[in-house]
Amino acid sequence: DAVRAAGNAGGKAVDLFLDDLRKGGKDKISFLFEVGANNGLWSNHVMKRAQQACPGGASRVRLTLIEPQQVFAARLRAMASLWRGTFFPAAAWTNETTLSFFLSSFSEASSLSEQM
């Protein structure tokens, strides 16, 4: 299912992230960025795993979600609030500018490129 697929994405990196979180002291803060978050399913799954990984695990992770598609804005704001994170309704780019964002019926294919 979708949650299982989200959990497998970046599996080894997520496992290493959680191992580091477990080994860190209670004052250690970790950062989780999802650039191009779409619906935020992956970040939500990682945050749930962090919560289960160790006492206070999720509270020691600073979550940042970046996603320009307005269709996901309410969901990502709620998720950021739930995990005490931050949501930026923007596209990530190399410099400050205004660009066109081309939407696709398959949201994950939406892009700054006209060629999809």
Side-chain angles (χ1 to χ4, degrees):
D1 73 351
V3 172
R4 195 171 339 200
N8 291 335
K12 178 101 173 132
V14 170
D15 289 344
L16 290 171
F17 175 79
L18 295 172
D19 286 344
D20 190 54
L21 186 64
R22 275 186 215 96
K23 292 175 188 171
K26 64 181 179 178
D27 296 328
K28 181 176 181 167
I29 302 297
S30 297
F31 295 87
L32 179 64
F33 292 88
E34 187 170 10
V35 180
N38 289 293
N39 62 11
L41 187 64
W42 181 82
S43 287
N44 196 53
H45 184 73
V46 174
M47 292 300 291
K48 285 179 180 179
R49 287 189 62 195
Q51 190 172 35
Q52 295 167 351
C54 59
S59 67
R60 296 190 343 242
V61 176
R62 301 298 176 258
L63 174 65
T64 300
L65 301 161
I66 302 171
E67 175 57 51
Q69 296 183 76
Q70 288 301 308
V71 68
F72 298 121
R75 176 185 171 100
L76 295 175
R77 275 190 192 91
M79 187 182 307
S81 177
L82 171 68
W83 297 115
R84 289 167 285 162
T86 306
F87 166 60
F88 294 99
W93 199 245
T94 57
N95 58 330
E96 188 172 333
T97 186
T98 300
L99 300 169
S100 296
F101 193 75
F102 300 95
L103 298 175
S104 168
S105 59
F106 178 59
S107 66
E108 283 125 5
S110 297
S111 172
L112 293 171
S113 172
E114 287 184 81
Q115 299 175 357
M116 292 186 267

